[in-house]
Amino acid sequence: MRVRVEQTALPGIGVRHDLVTESGRRLGVVSHRNGRRDLVLYDPDDPDSCQADIPLTDDEAEALADILGASLMLGQLSGLREQAAGLLTEQIAIPAGSRYVNRMLGDTKARTRTSASIVAVLRDGTVNVSPEPSFRFAAGDVVVVVGTRQGLDGVSAILADSDPDG
């Protein structure tokens, strides 16, 4: 099902984005010109009437976006796992002592060495989906890897490697 998002200019205020959920509930986000954001829940009996208006700070809006983005991505990966026999997904933390801290994803050659793919990196509540080979790892990053059990174990070993000589 494709979700339609309606954008409405609010002269002097900002812009409102609304969507209707599969269950028929209408909700929106009002982005004010001054940077303020409000999460808006409309009355199910009167779609033009606001049932709840929740002001969000920048940090709250970012946290909500991260929660929704991460859970959606991981849910999609989980669905993919069910469709593709033998493929697994796993989250692997990069330890502080890893030789790949402050190095680029491409330096790992993880896909070439293991046939497993790093499809996202979670850092400080932010999801970096499909990171480029130039993406630099930091201690504590959590990589989301898709592959066989052997491939996932291989990526885990690569990222845990603290030997600077490889």
Side-chain angles (χ1 to χ4, degrees), residues 29-124:
V29 174
V30 176
S31 300
H32 297 260
R33 289 176 37 201
N34 65 5
R36 184 177 128 201
R37 286 175 211 79
D38 294 322
L39 182 61
V40 181
L41 182 61
Y42 297 96
D43 186 324
D45 298 325
D46 181 2
D48 293 324
S49 177
C50 179
Q51 187 176 43
D53 181 334
I54 305 165
L56 299 172
T57 66
D58 287 346
D59 289 341
E60 293 164 341
E62 185 177 340
L64 181 60
D66 288 345
I67 290 167
L68 293 172
S71 65
L72 176 62
M73 183 201 62
L74 293 174
Q76 290 170 340
L77 289 173
S78 179
L80 173 64
R81 180 176 60 216
E82 293 170 7
Q83 295 173 10
L87 279 184
L88 305 168
T89 60
E90 191 165 282
Q91 295 182 28
I92 302 168
I94 298 180
S98 172
R99 68 181 291 179
Y100 293 104
V101 169
N102 296 320
R103 292 188 52 199
M104 295 186 293
L105 176 136
D107 292 342
T108 68
K109 296 183 174 51
R111 187 176 17 225
T112 302
R113 294 165 64 185
T114 68
S115 297
S117 296
I118 296 174
V119 297
V121 179
L122 312 175
R123 176 185 293 162
D124 297 328

